[in-house]
Every structure is written in C-alpha cells, then in structure tokens.
C-alpha cells in the first residue's frame, strides 16, 4: 500500500480526481498543467530551451566524470544528455515525449534523422541501466566494468545528438 492509501480507486497521486493535498482536480486543471509542461506556444511558454540547457549540463557532467575516471557515471550522464536533448526537440516541435529509450525518442521525431544518430542511441541505451547497477551474474560493479573508451564513445554520441537538436531548434 502506498503512502497515499493505494488500493482500488487510487493511483500514485492519491484517490482518483484528487491531488495530494486532497483538492478535487478538474479536467481543465490537468490540461492546464500539461500545457505548461509541454510548453503552450499560444501563451508564449516553451520549456524546450530549459531541457536543452539541462542536456548541455549533463554532457558537461559526463565529460567531468570521464576526466576523473568515473567512466560509469560518464556513460550514464551521456545518456541523460541525449535524453534531455531529444525531449527538448520534441517539446520544441510541440510534442510530448516520455521514456528513456533514446532510439524510440529519435524515431518518434516528426523529422528525418541521420543514421549515425540511431547508432549512437543504440550504444547509449545499453548504458542506461548497466552504468548504474551491479551485474550479479558477472559479480562486477559498474565502476569496474566501464572504461575510458566507453565513456569517450558515449560522450561523442551524446554530443552528436545535442548538436543535431541544437541545429533543429535554431
């Protein structure tokens, strides 16, 4: 049972139709929140630039982690950078994008994408979980499993995705 009560007629936010504070939510409230989240261009808001800024920051973190020898974190941060960049582009184009599968985020874009980006998303997808969780079958922790070559490759792919997104948001 969740701390909101769980059970039938509930969800992770509490009883259906109510916010965590107990206030009744109206469909228009939900629509308003979604518009703010996506970036309602009619009201002048568009958070795509915020997502792109986060993508840049995540790429900087990947580079810093690699320089310090934390190649597992470099690979994860590179994945995060690519994810934030692709979601920024989706929002820029007026779409909602969910999930962490970079290949799907790329394929769901309503614009053509270079084949090299797809190869990059496939590489980075392999790092999303493996860079954070020990592999019980191999009895090895992520910090032991990732090396400089992998972090360089991850950063290169994330940088390519970031550049592609920047060019389409300009």
């Amino acid at each position: 049972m969740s701390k909101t009560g769980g059970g039938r007629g509930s969800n992770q936010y509490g009883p259906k139709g109510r916010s965590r504070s107990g206030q009744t939510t109206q469909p228009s409230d939900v629509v308003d929140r979604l518009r703010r989240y996506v970036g309602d261009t009619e009201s002048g808001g568009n958070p795509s630039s915020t997502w792109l800024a986060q993508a840049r920051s995540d790429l900087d973190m990947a580079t810093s982690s690699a320089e310090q020898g934390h190649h597992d974190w470099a690979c994860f941060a590179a994945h995060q950078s690519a994810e934030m960049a692709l979601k920024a582009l989706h929002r820029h184009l007026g779409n909602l994008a969910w999930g962490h599968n970079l290949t799907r985020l790329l394929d769901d874009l309503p614009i053509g994408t270079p084949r090299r980006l797809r190869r990059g998303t496939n590489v980075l997808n392999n790092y999303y979980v493996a860079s954070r969780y020990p592999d019980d079958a191999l009895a090895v922790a992520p910090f032991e499993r990732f090396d400089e070559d992998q972090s360089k490759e991850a950063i290169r792919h994330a940088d390519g995705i970031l550049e592609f997104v920047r060019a389409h948001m300009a």
Side-chain angles (χ1 to χ4, degrees):
M1 185 177 282
S2 73
K3 66 182 182 180
T4 59
R8 223 176 155 164
S10 311
N11 60 33
Q12 67 185 12
Y13 302 106
K16 286 184 181 175
R18 297 199 179 274
S19 67
R20 287 184 181 184
S21 65
Q23 296 174 331
T24 302
T25 57
Q26 300 298 321
S28 61
D29 295 337
V30 174
V31 169
D32 288 343
R33 276 188 252 144
L34 276 173
R35 282 187 178 142
R36 283 192 303 273
Y37 181 73
V38 174
D40 183 1
T41 54
E42 290 176 16
S43 64
N46 193 334
S48 60
S49 61
T50 304
W51 285 76
L52 189 59
Q54 186 62 49
R56 182 71 237 166
S57 178
D58 290 343
L59 188 59
D60 290 345
M61 177 55 71
T63 302
S64 177
S65 294
E67 289 169 354
Q68 295 175 28
H70 302 291
H71 301 294
D72 51 336
W73 280 106
C75 290
F76 177 67
H79 178 283
Q80 289 297 105
S81 174
E83 181 179 334
M84 295 298 131
L86 290 170
K87 288 180 177 180
L89 184 53
H90 274 281
R91 280 163 178 74
H92 179 75
L93 298 171
N95 300 326
L96 273 177
W98 302 99
H100 309 289
N101 184 319
L102 302 179
T103 306
R104 182 168 183 185
L105 290 170
L106 184 71
D107 289 347
D108 287 348
L109 286 168
I111 58 175
T113 56
R115 202 176 211 112
R116 65 178 167 74
L117 293 184
R118 190 169 225 289
R119 286 191 299 271
T121 61
N122 288 332
V123 168
L124 291 169
N125 278 339
N126 289 326
Y127 296 156
Y128 181 67
V129 173
S131 63
R132 296 177 297 143
Y133 297 99
D135 186 327
D136 290 339
L138 298 175
V140 63
F143 76 90
E144 299 170 305
R145 190 170 48 221
F146 287 86
D147 62 26
E148 184 177 359
D149 290 338
Q150 289 166 304
S151 62
K152 282 182 179 178
E153 178 185 38
I155 291 166
R156 182 174 49 81
H157 287 306
D159 189 50
I161 291 167
L162 192 56
E163 289 305 315
F164 171 79
V165 168
R166 274 193 197 136
H168 282 81
M169 286 179 60

